[in-house]
PDB file of all heavy atoms in Angstrom:
ATOM      1  N   VAL N 109       3.370  22.091  -9.449  1.00 93.00           N
ATOM      2  CA  VAL N 109       2.930  21.651 -10.848  1.00 93.00           C
ATOM      3  C   VAL N 109       3.173  22.894 -11.771  1.00 93.00           C
ATOM      4  O   VAL N 109       2.881  24.037 -11.392  1.00 93.00           O
ATOM      5  CB  VAL N 109       1.395  21.404 -10.922  1.00 93.00           C
ATOM      6  CG1 VAL N 109       0.971  21.095 -12.385  1.00 93.00           C
ATOM      7  CG2 VAL N 109       1.052  20.326  -9.999  1.00 93.00           C
ATOM      8  N   SER N 110       3.846  22.644 -12.837  1.00 91.00           N
ATOM      9  CA  SER N 110       4.087  23.788 -13.791  1.00 91.00           C
ATOM     10  C   SER N 110       4.113  23.166 -15.158  1.00 91.00           C
ATOM     11  O   SER N 110       4.430  21.944 -15.422  1.00 91.00           O
ATOM     12  CB  SER N 110       5.425  24.514 -13.486  1.00 91.00           C
ATOM     13  OG  SER N 110       6.490  23.532 -13.499  1.00 91.00           O
ATOM     14  N   GLU N 111       3.894  24.035 -16.152  1.00 91.00           N
ATOM     15  CA  GLU N 111       3.886  23.685 -17.601  1.00 91.00           C
ATOM     16  C   GLU N 111       5.367  23.206 -17.974  1.00 91.00           C
ATOM     17  O   GLU N 111       6.238  23.840 -17.487  1.00 91.00           O
ATOM     18  CB  GLU N 111       3.486  24.789 -18.459  1.00 91.00           C
ATOM     19  CG  GLU N 111       3.176  24.467 -19.861  1.00 91.00           C
ATOM     20  CD  GLU N 111       2.554  25.586 -20.674  1.00 91.00           C
ATOM     21  OE1 GLU N 111       1.333  25.920 -20.359  1.00 91.00           O
ATOM     22  OE2 GLU N 111       3.229  26.170 -21.464  1.00 91.00           O
ATOM     23  N   ALA N 112       5.397  22.146 -18.741  1.00 91.00           N
ATOM     24  CA  ALA N 112       6.674  21.673 -19.157  1.00 91.00           C
ATOM     25  C   ALA N 112       7.381  22.519 -20.162  1.00 91.00           C
ATOM     26  O   ALA N 112       6.736  23.364 -20.915  1.00 91.00           O
ATOM     27  CB  ALA N 112       6.540  20.213 -19.714  1.00 91.00           C
ATOM     28  N   GLU N 113       8.710  22.402 -20.258  1.00 89.00           N
ATOM     29  CA  GLU N 113       9.466  23.031 -21.332  1.00 89.00           C
ATOM     30  C   GLU N 113       9.142  22.437 -22.647  1.00 89.00           C
ATOM     31  O   GLU N 113       8.625  21.347 -22.670  1.00 89.00           O
ATOM     32  CB  GLU N 113      10.963  22.720 -21.092  1.00 89.00           C
ATOM     33  CG  GLU N 113      11.495  23.517 -19.777  1.00 89.00           C
ATOM     34  CD  GLU N 113      11.643  24.993 -19.969  1.00 89.00           C
ATOM     35  OE1 GLU N 113      12.300  25.442 -20.928  1.00 89.00           O
ATOM     36  OE2 GLU N 113      11.208  25.726 -19.102  1.00 89.00           O
ATOM     37  N   ILE N 114       9.407  23.125 -23.704  1.00 90.00           N
ATOM     38  CA  ILE N 114       9.067  22.659 -25.099  1.00 90.00           C
ATOM     39  C   ILE N 114       9.700  21.156 -25.348  1.00 90.00           C
ATOM     40  O   ILE N 114       8.987  20.416 -25.834  1.00 90.00           O
ATOM     41  CB  ILE N 114       9.688  23.647 -26.148  1.00 90.00           C
ATOM     42  CG1 ILE N 114       8.966  25.089 -26.037  1.00 90.00           C
ATOM     43  CG2 ILE N 114       9.556  23.051 -27.591  1.00 90.00           C
ATOM     44  CD1 ILE N 114       7.456  25.008 -26.407  1.00 90.00           C
ATOM     45  N   ARG N 115      10.917  21.068 -24.803  1.00 89.00           N
ATOM     46  CA  ARG N 115      11.614  19.775 -25.117  1.00 89.00           C
ATOM     47  C   ARG N 115      10.926  18.588 -24.506  1.00 89.00           C
ATOM     48  O   ARG N 115      10.999  17.460 -24.793  1.00 89.00           O
ATOM     49  CB  ARG N 115      13.002  19.758 -24.745  1.00 89.00           C
ATOM     50  CG  ARG N 115      13.235  19.735 -23.250  1.00 89.00           C
ATOM     51  CD  ARG N 115      14.779  19.781 -23.005  1.00 89.00           C
ATOM     52  NE  ARG N 115      15.020  19.691 -21.564  1.00 89.00           N
ATOM     53  CZ  ARG N 115      15.065  20.628 -20.678  1.00 89.00           C
ATOM     54  NH1 ARG N 115      14.682  21.904 -21.097  1.00 89.00           N
ATOM     55  NH2 ARG N 115      15.313  20.426 -19.466  1.00 89.00           N
ATOM     56  N   HIS N 116      10.014  18.892 -23.465  1.00 90.00           N
ATOM     57  CA  HIS N 116       9.171  17.862 -22.796  1.00 90.00           C
ATOM     58  C   HIS N 116       7.732  17.898 -23.087  1.00 90.00           C
ATOM     59  O   HIS N 116       6.947  17.165 -22.451  1.00 90.00           O
ATOM     60  CB  HIS N 116       9.340  18.007 -21.247  1.00 90.00           C
ATOM     61  CG  HIS N 116      10.699  17.621 -20.748  1.00 90.00           C
ATOM     62  ND1 HIS N 116      11.397  18.327 -19.820  1.00 90.00           N
ATOM     63  CD2 HIS N 116      11.552  16.567 -21.067  1.00 90.00           C
ATOM     64  CE1 HIS N 116      12.661  17.847 -19.636  1.00 90.00           C
ATOM     65  NE2 HIS N 116      12.668  16.764 -20.297  1.00 90.00           N
ATOM     66  N   GLY N 117       7.394  18.710 -24.089  1.00 89.00           N
ATOM     67  CA  GLY N 117       5.983  18.718 -24.522  1.00 89.00           C
ATOM     68  C   GLY N 117       5.340  20.073 -24.340  1.00 89.00           C
ATOM     69  O   GLY N 117       4.101  20.230 -24.816  1.00 89.00           O
ATOM     70  N   GLY N 118       5.902  21.045 -23.736  1.00 90.00           N
ATOM     71  CA  GLY N 118       5.413  22.357 -23.718  1.00 90.00           C
ATOM     72  C   GLY N 118       4.002  22.536 -23.143  1.00 90.00           C
ATOM     73  O   GLY N 118       3.730  21.924 -22.003  1.00 90.00           O
ATOM     74  N   ALA N 119       3.071  23.179 -23.818  1.00 88.00           N
ATOM     75  CA  ALA N 119       1.759  23.365 -23.287  1.00 88.00           C
ATOM     76  C   ALA N 119       0.885  22.091 -23.140  1.00 88.00           C
ATOM     77  O   ALA N 119      -0.117  22.079 -22.488  1.00 88.00           O
ATOM     78  CB  ALA N 119       1.037  24.413 -24.103  1.00 88.00           C
ATOM     79  N   GLY N 120       1.332  21.057 -23.695  1.00 92.00           N
ATOM     80  CA  GLY N 120       0.644  19.752 -23.703  1.00 92.00           C
ATOM     81  C   GLY N 120       1.213  18.829 -22.600  1.00 92.00           C
ATOM     82  O   GLY N 120       0.853  17.674 -22.501  1.00 92.00           O
ATOM     83  N   ALA N 121       2.027  19.287 -21.725  1.00 94.00           N
ATOM     84  CA  ALA N 121       2.563  18.467 -20.573  1.00 94.00           C
ATOM     85  C   ALA N 121       2.962  19.349 -19.454  1.00 94.00           C
ATOM     86  O   ALA N 121       3.077  20.582 -19.513  1.00 94.00           O
ATOM     87  CB  ALA N 121       3.903  17.891 -21.256  1.00 94.00           C
ATOM     88  N   PHE N 122       3.085  18.679 -18.298  1.00 95.00           N
ATOM     89  CA  PHE N 122       3.263  19.384 -17.004  1.00 95.00           C
ATOM     90  C   PHE N 122       4.349  18.661 -16.241  1.00 95.00           C
ATOM     91  O   PHE N 122       4.361  17.313 -16.245  1.00 95.00           O
ATOM     92  CB  PHE N 122       1.996  19.529 -16.203  1.00 95.00           C
ATOM     93  CG  PHE N 122       1.027  20.190 -16.770  1.00 95.00           C
ATOM     94  CD1 PHE N 122       0.059  19.646 -17.679  1.00 95.00           C
ATOM     95  CD2 PHE N 122       0.841  21.596 -16.519  1.00 95.00           C
ATOM     96  CE1 PHE N 122      -0.979  20.550 -18.301  1.00 95.00           C
ATOM     97  CE2 PHE N 122      -0.103  22.403 -17.069  1.00 95.00           C
ATOM     98  CZ  PHE N 122      -1.016  21.881 -17.875  1.00 95.00           C
ATOM     99  N   TYR N 123       5.204  19.356 -15.528  1.00 94.00           N
ATOM    100  CA  TYR N 123       6.030  18.844 -14.485  1.00 94.00           C
ATOM    101  C   TYR N 123       5.178  18.657 -13.159  1.00 94.00           C
ATOM    102  O   TYR N 123       4.538  19.696 -12.911  1.00 94.00           O
ATOM    103  CB  TYR N 123       7.242  19.672 -14.203  1.00 94.00           C
ATOM    104  CG  TYR N 123       8.208  19.887 -15.421  1.00 94.00           C
ATOM    105  CD1 TYR N 123       8.523  21.201 -15.794  1.00 94.00           C
ATOM    106  CD2 TYR N 123       8.668  18.834 -16.142  1.00 94.00           C
ATOM    107  CE1 TYR N 123       9.322  21.364 -16.859  1.00 94.00           C
ATOM    108  CE2 TYR N 123       9.523  19.016 -17.178  1.00 94.00           C
ATOM    109  CZ  TYR N 123       9.851  20.339 -17.525  1.00 94.00           C
ATOM    110  OH  TYR N 123      10.717  20.616 -18.614  1.00 94.00           O
TER     111      TYR N 123
END
Side-chain angles (χ1 to χ4, degrees):
V109 179
S110 59
E111 191 172 290
E113 293 286 310
I114 295 292
R115 73 181 186 279
H116 290 134
F122 294 88
Y123 298 126

